Amino acid sequence: MSGELEQPQAGPSRAGLNLPNPERNQTGVPGEVIRRARTQGPTSWIQKVLEQITDSPLQSVTPSEVVPVAVLAVQRYLLEDEPRDRIPKPPFYCYDVTISDGVYQEKCYLDPSLNFLVYKNILKVGIEMKIFRVSCLYNEKRLGQGILCIDNVHCGGTLDTISVETPFRNSAHEEIPERPLRGGKSHYLALWNNEDPYGDIWLTNKQPEEHNFNNTRIISLSHLEMTWNNRKNFPALLVRILHKSRLRYYGKPDKKMIEPYQTFLEVADRSGTVSVIMWNALCPEWYKSLRVGLVLLLQDYSVKKSYPFRLQPLPVDPQIKLISTMEVCLNLRDPPNNIIIIPERQVKPEWRLPKLNHRFVTRSELDNMAEKQICDVIGILVFVGRVQRSKKKENREDFWSYRWIHIADGTSQHPFIVELFSTSQPEIFENICPMTYFMCTQLKVVRNNTQVPKLLYLTTTNESRVIITGHRGQLCANDSKVKNFIRWIKTKTDSGEKKNAVIGGYYPFPPVPETFSKYRNSVKVESLLTAISEVRKEIEDLQYREQKRIAIQGIITVIKYIPHSSTTESASASETFQNANRPSTSQAAGRESQSQERDDKQHQEDGPVSPQCCQTTYTSLSPTKKKRIVQGPYDKLVPVPQPDFSSQTKGNKSGIPSIFQRRESVSTSMQGKARKTISHGWESQLWREKKFGLVDHLHYSSVYPESIPRKFTVEHKSFLIQQYNSQPAKYIPPEERAPKLNDFKSARSLGHFEVTILGLNHEIAIDVAFLPMYCSEDIRASQIDTLLTCMNYSCVYPQEVNGNERVPGPRAIAGDIIKAVTELDRTHVVCILDICNLGNNKVEVCLHKIYSPDNIY
């Protein structure tokens, strides 16, 4: 491509194909570069395809030779170049895929009909991929410019290693800042949400600088509030940042705006506090450099009437006046702003700028706090859940990213339970792990004392900020509660927190109320109950790491216990996990037939369906056909397995929750044949009558490696963090001799159950998993959630027991659970299911609670 320097036009950008241009000097014709490369080094498949498509009169071609390429990047952006008179239709976002053939890298445009491959995390970095059809999208406003489009692909398995040193065939793809192939002057977004700053447009180089105040006129915020309506020019503001919000992206396809971002700063001087709104291109320039506590000198700003429906965070100091009638606006051009960070050493006491105060609370104090109160917390992380996503609005493509964490501070046997949404700090959000000092501000209390179990946790707000050890920021060491926490950590002589540290896995929180009527009042959905015939569509519509909670009616007809000691859970999941790491080649058909033969010999429902048993060739098809393609084969119904109970959990000093102690006598009194039958599983007479006449049987009882919480080990910190984070947008070379997820010890001691729910009309059944979270050694919430209490999730923690007390093992607990199910025979119940797309054709469907007729109202 030539060295043209003019601004890119709407349509395919200049970072595309290097096609012959008669207006260029022949020494710079990219076609010449292609011919020279063929004689000077290894043959590039990418160059051969480019030659083929440029020589063809057709708009799209099938490569004469199909060879595997590696995927190095999958990047998302908003398509902003649609004609103004056209109403934007989904998808609003496009994807550029960077591939490597071992000789060159090439950035390609993914046909929007294949976007679902990214939604499901089937097309991802690090995999092998075959491209069966390509086309060229030309820029009709420029001569000889176009981009390579991918129209038909076959997604294979994960490659062991990929060379990242391979050069780009087109040097324009290496330009900084990195721009999308389409979208005019747009930029790349974070792959899975819009709140996180992503890419090289986000600067971090703003530093404090000395300022001469001799000729600077400064106005107080209270004086500005009284006079701004009568002013055209505003004197400078000298303020301290008290709060900083997460980013808000408001880009839309029909509005061509450069970096459409917004963020709020709550700033204060001695006279009051006010909101400052930073707009558009100022956000990439300043957002990552501005921290809470910095002193700013603001000049050339504008003032407007405040938005009436926005709630400002309340000042920590009640003596500071909250100014809510106006807002200060910072924009790059209207007027061009002047922002200066004043070094702390230049801050004078006579300025009387407010100090940065916090509302730290301890875990023991949290029990007495009211709903919606705001607080700050500090502690050590003892549990870090996997990153999950939830839709902001139905029928939209925007998601929130969040994860559940537990924080211990030594003041209570219970940890803080925190719903941590992305705070526009991806460098922290993606790197938190157990055994890390953790501070979070502006958390809101969520509680409900009227439901059973009582609900109590914290959730982040728009102004929440996170600080962890090893990252920029201070842990407020001068605060008395912070000092007490540090003193507690230093006096710890045992390794209890380290031994009980857990990461990832299915986490069924928050718990649902004890009755269905209360559940109905607590959820905000159009349709409270999902017909069992609609469950498949609900699952198919899930995007990567999206988790939803649905309610279905049915009859429990089968339950099977899969002990933790059984090789069924770990081996089958491990086999699938390893198979998913292998490329999908022409041997896939042979593998599928071999798998079908094995189906006749062993029960496949105990393990996940391997993605290699599914068709993974994708092309530009209708939405209906696309959905049909990704559906895999279903397992056959098999007899109840007879697991081995030779390995049982012995009693431990940390004790067990009292609910199991009360039922121990019931468990131990069961003997002989009754105990054997109930321990292994149960199948109702109704199921034996109906199972062969079903219209459909949905098999979603698989337990995948990602579903199991793992004991955290510092030695493999980076590997575990990566496994439970979202898929990255760019390829990260794995560490040498990286372990497998199944190599890490499970934090669950009870195993899991497979439960079959028959629809009320006896036509459709669904198999789901039930994963009790009970682990008597774990500081995480032990799920004393047995079917004896109608699957009621409860956060109960291990209690001390005397040395002579007997702790029931998993076998006794499982027996109680299965026995309870027999009491629900032929009973119409409401089942609450947690469903989550784990990516790569893996779906997790877990039974959260059963409402029996006694618990409906």
Side-chain angles (χ1 to χ4, degrees):
M1 145 158 234
S2 69
E4 296 174 343
L5 298 177
E6 59 264 34
Q7 291 295 324
Q9 303 291 327
S13 76
R14 56 201 183 98
L17 289 182
N18 292 326
L19 304 180
N21 187 341
E23 295 182 356
R24 299 176 186 158
N25 186 306
Q26 287 300 308
T27 58
V29 174
E32 293 295 327
V33 175
I34 295 176
R35 286 195 287 272
R36 284 199 301 270
R38 291 197 322 185
T39 59
Q40 292 178 352
T43 302
S44 168
W45 178 83
I46 292 174
Q47 285 194 358
K48 290 172 65 176
V49 171
L50 295 179
E51 286 181 311
Q52 183 180 347
I53 195 170
T54 54
D55 294 339
S56 172
L58 302 175
Q59 187 178 7
S60 62
V61 298
T62 299
S64 56
E65 180 187 5
V66 177
V67 300
V69 295
V71 179
L72 290 177
V74 179
Q75 294 170 287
R76 182 178 69 106
Y77 57 99
L78 185 71
L79 184 59
E80 298 175 350
D81 62 349
E82 293 298 318
R84 289 298 183 101
D85 58 347
R86 184 184 303 175
I87 299 176
K89 297 180 180 179
F92 298 140
Y93 299 105
C94 296
Y95 295 90
D96 289 343
V97 179
T98 302
I99 60 174
S100 172
D101 62 4
V103 179
Y104 287 120
Q105 294 184 37
E106 184 76 13
K107 186 180 289 186
C108 307
Y109 174 70
L110 185 70
D111 188 278
S113 65
L114 300 179
N115 281 5
F116 76 101
L117 295 175
V118 181
Y119 299 161
K120 307 291 185 182
N121 199 39
I122 297 171
L123 199 169
K124 57 184 178 179
V125 298
I127 68 167
E128 181 181 76
M129 183 173 71
K130 290 183 179 180
I131 303 174
F132 292 100
R133 194 163 189 81
V134 297
S135 59
C136 182
L137 184 63
Y138 291 96
N139 187 342
E140 295 180 349
K141 293 186 178 182
R142 289 178 178 271
L143 289 174
Q145 289 192 11
I147 57 177
L148 187 65
C149 303
I150 298 174
D151 297 329
N152 186 340
V153 298
H154 176 100
C155 295
T158 303
L159 297 171
D160 292 334
T161 56
I162 303 175
S163 173
V164 294
E165 304 299 327
T166 307
F168 276 97
R169 182 199 61 84
N170 185 350
S171 60
H173 292 168
E174 299 178 280
E175 291 180 356
I176 296 177
E178 192 177 17
R179 296 294 185 184
L181 293 177
R182 299 186 65 191
K185 300 177 183 179
S186 66
H187 62 288
Y188 287 119
L189 301 168
L191 186 56
W192 304 113
N193 66 50
N194 289 340
E195 283 68 46
D196 289 341
Y198 171 83
D200 46 25
I201 68 168
W202 297 88
L203 306 181
T204 58
N205 59 354
K206 303 295 183 180
Q207 299 296 329
E209 55 183 89
E210 298 278 350
H211 180 75
N212 186 352
F213 286 91
N214 292 335
N215 299 319
T216 303
R217 184 184 170 198
I218 297 175
I219 187 173
S220 70
L221 291 176
S222 60
H223 190 194
L224 181 65
E225 180 189 23
M226 293 184 291
T227 62
W228 72 271
N229 273 316
N230 302 321
R231 291 177 177 269
K232 291 185 178 179
N233 299 312
F234 304 107
L237 294 173
L238 185 63
V239 293
R240 187 186 297 278
I241 302 176
L242 300 185
H243 299 293
K244 171 184 168 184
S245 76
R246 60 174 166 238
L247 286 166
R248 174 178 172 260
Y249 178 77
Y250 63 94
K252 295 181 180 179
D254 57 339
K255 295 182 180 180
K256 294 186 178 180
M257 304 186 70
I258 300 176
E259 285 99 34
Y261 287 96
Q262 177 196 68
T263 190
F264 286 84
L265 303 174
E266 302 301 323
V267 302
D269 64 7
R270 62 185 179 183
S271 67
T273 178
V274 74
S275 295
V276 174
I277 310 175
M278 187 174 290
W279 292 92
N280 302 335
L282 273 184
C283 291
E285 182 181 354
W286 281 93
Y287 185 81
K288 298 189 76 172
S289 297
L290 297 180
R291 303 192 314 276
V292 172
L294 290 180
V295 176
L296 301 181
L297 182 68
L298 304 179
Q299 303 176 86
D300 302 322
Y301 54 88
S302 62
V303 182
K304 69 181 184 67
K305 187 177 180 180
S306 61
Y307 184 67
F309 300 107
R310 179 179 178 267
L311 294 177
Q312 292 176 258
L314 295 176
V316 176
D317 187 348
Q319 296 181 353
I320 299 179
K321 178 184 177 182
L322 183 66
I323 300 174
S324 58
T325 58
M326 69 174 188
E327 294 174 342
V328 176
C329 298
L330 303 178
N331 206 316
L332 188 63
R333 297 185 179 88
D334 188 23
N337 296 124
N338 186 357
I339 304 173
I340 299 175
I341 302 175
I342 304 300
E344 194 65 32
R345 62 179 178 272
Q346 197 181 359
V347 177
K348 298 179 180 180
E350 54 264 31
W351 294 349
R352 292 166 56 192
L353 293 178
K355 295 181 180 180
L356 196 62
N357 296 318
H358 290 86
R359 299 185 182 92
F360 282 111
V361 300
T362 63
R363 179 58 185 86
S364 59
E365 294 171 334
L366 179 64
D367 292 330
N368 299 319
M369 293 186 67
E371 167 82 359
K372 296 184 179 180
Q373 270 193 269
I374 300 298
C375 64
D376 306 330
V377 302
I378 188 171
I380 185 170
L381 289 170
V382 290
F383 166 68
V384 175
R386 68 190 180 199
V387 176
Q388 299 177 161
R389 300 197 300 154
S390 62
K391 272 189 178 177
K392 293 183 179 179
K393 292 182 180 179
E394 285 297 324
N395 304 318
R396 295 288 296 272
E397 298 179 60
D398 296 330
F399 288 80
W400 297 110
S401 293
Y402 69 99
R403 66 199 316 169
W404 290 95
I405 61 174
H406 286 198
I407 310 166
D409 70 350
T411 66
S412 170
Q413 62 176 343
H414 305 286
F416 293 103
I417 300 178
V418 179
E419 184 182 29
L420 182 67
F421 285 89
S422 173
T423 57
S424 300
Q425 298 172 280
E427 68 281 358
I428 294 180
F429 186 78
E430 297 173 0
N431 286 284
I432 61 174
C433 63
M435 307 312 300
T436 301
Y437 295 167
F438 182 91
M439 186 183 89
C440 190
T441 63
Q442 292 296 111
L443 291 167
K444 182 173 66 175
V445 178
V446 179
R447 73 180 311 143
N448 186 347
N449 293 333
T450 63
Q451 92 171 43
V452 179
K454 290 183 180 180
L455 185 66
L456 176 61
Y457 66 94
L458 301 171
T459 187
T460 49
T461 62
N462 195 47
E463 291 79 23
S464 292
R465 310 304 295 169
V466 175
I467 297 175
I468 62 173
T469 48
H471 280 264
R472 194 176 181 182
Q474 298 179 348
L475 291 176
C476 307
N478 293 328
D479 188 278
S480 60
K481 291 179 181 177
V482 175
K483 289 180 179 179
N484 291 337
F485 164 71
I486 295 174
R487 192 178 301 114
W488 171 70
I489 286 294
K490 288 182 178 179
T491 57
K492 293 288 288 182
T493 56
D494 56 52
S495 58
E497 280 70 27
K498 183 176 181 180
K499 183 178 68 173
N500 294 324
V502 178
I503 186 169
Y506 165 66
Y507 183 67
F509 201 87
V512 296
E514 71 276 17
T515 65
F516 185 67
S517 60
K518 287 186 178 181
Y519 173 77
R520 180 173 52 208
N521 295 331
S522 66
V523 297
K524 298 178 181 179
V525 292
E526 292 182 5
S527 179
L528 182 64
L529 288 169
T530 301
I532 198 167
S533 59
E534 299 172 350
V535 172
R536 185 197 298 277
K537 185 180 185 304
E538 288 280 350
I539 291 173
E540 288 178 348
D541 288 344
L542 289 176
Q543 295 195 25
Y544 173 60
R545 289 286 178 89
E546 179 184 1
Q547 179 151 323
K548 291 180 67 174
R549 184 166 284 175
I550 62 175
I552 65 172
Q553 296 186 82
I555 304 168
I556 306 296
T557 55
V558 179
I559 183 169
K560 294 180 291 184
Y561 174 50
I562 312 298
H564 175 67
S565 59
S566 171
T567 58
T568 307
E569 175 184 290
S570 59
S572 60
S574 176
E575 182 180 358
T576 298
F577 189 66
Q578 293 170 6
N579 286 342
N581 290 334
R582 301 192 190 111
S584 179
T585 63
S586 58
Q587 286 89 2
R591 236 183 246 140
E592 184 175 352
S593 63
Q594 294 173 9
S595 176
Q596 190 65 34
E597 292 176 4
R598 288 196 301 269
D599 284 349
D600 298 331
K601 298 178 181 179
Q602 64 181 29
H603 52 281
Q604 289 294 324
E605 67 209 296
D606 289 340
V609 178
S610 171
Q612 273 58 48
C613 296
C614 303
Q615 180 56 261
T616 53
T617 300
Y618 307 95
T619 186
S620 305
L621 297 176
S622 67
T624 303
K625 290 184 178 179
K626 286 187 295 184
K627 289 183 178 180
R628 289 295 103 193
I629 281 177
V630 298
Q631 290 176 2
Y634 299 109
D635 302 326
K636 299 177 180 178
L637 183 66
V638 296
V640 177
Q642 302 296 314
D644 177 19
F645 290 102
S646 57
S647 176
Q648 298 184 28
T649 302
K650 297 181 180 180
N652 60 71
K653 296 180 180 180
S654 59
I656 62 164
S658 58
I659 186 169
F660 286 131
Q661 296 174 10
R662 290 195 298 268
R663 288 175 173 81
E664 184 179 352
S665 59
V666 177
S667 301
T668 54
S669 65
M670 303 178 65
Q671 299 177 359
K673 184 176 180 180
R675 160 54 75 187
K676 180 178 180 182
T677 303
I678 287 182
S679 295
H680 294 167
W682 168 78
E683 180 179 290
S684 71
Q685 179 62 34
L686 177 62
W687 179 249
R688 288 191 286 269
E689 296 171 357
K690 300 293 184 179
K691 62 183 177 181
F692 297 113
L694 296 175
V695 175
D696 198 3
H697 189 175
L698 310 178
H699 297 263
Y700 291 110
S701 60
S702 300
V703 175
Y704 296 97
E706 299 93 326
S707 303
I708 302 173
R710 307 285 175 174
K711 293 286 188 178
F712 179 75
T713 60
V714 178
E715 295 79 9
H716 296 288
K717 168 183 171 181
S718 298
F719 173 81
L720 289 170
I721 288 176
Q722 185 178 358
Q723 291 297 308
Y724 292 109
N725 269 335
S726 299
Q727 186 73 31
K730 290 190 174 182
Y731 175 72
I732 302 173
E735 57 186 60
E736 293 186 6
R737 298 180 180 179
K740 299 294 183 183
L741 199 53
N742 277 316
D743 296 339
F744 295 89
K745 184 179 179 181
S746 169
R748 295 187 297 111
S749 60
L750 190 56
H752 72 277
F753 297 82
E754 295 178 355
V755 180
T756 300
I757 305 167
L758 180 65
L760 297 183
N761 294 319
H762 300 179
E763 295 177 342
I764 301 174
I766 180 172
D767 297 337
V768 300
F770 169 48
L771 285 78
M773 305 306 293
Y774 167 69
C775 180
S776 57
E777 298 176 352
D778 198 348
I779 198 169
R780 295 169 59 237
S782 296
Q783 184 182 2
I784 313 313
D785 190 349
T786 73
L787 291 176
L788 293 172
T789 55
C790 294
M791 299 286 291
N792 188 12
Y793 179 89
S794 148
C795 291
V796 182
Y797 293 83
Q799 302 172 356
E800 293 294 332
V801 296
N802 298 326
N804 58 352
E805 290 189 24
R806 181 173 172 269
V807 179
R811 178 178 177 180
I813 298 169
D816 289 343
I817 292 175
I818 296 172
K819 180 178 181 294
V821 173
T822 65
E823 300 172 2
L824 297 175
D825 191 14
R826 296 181 181 267
T827 301
H828 290 194
V829 298
V830 176
C831 300
I832 307 299
L833 304 180
D834 291 332
I835 59 177
C836 182
N837 186 321
L838 300 177
N840 200 25
N841 289 329
K842 294 184 287 186
V843 177
E844 173 188 87
V845 181
C846 293
L847 183 57
H848 180 87
K849 181 178 177 66
I850 295 177
Y851 288 110
S852 67
D854 295 336
N855 303 114
I856 297 296
Y857 302 104

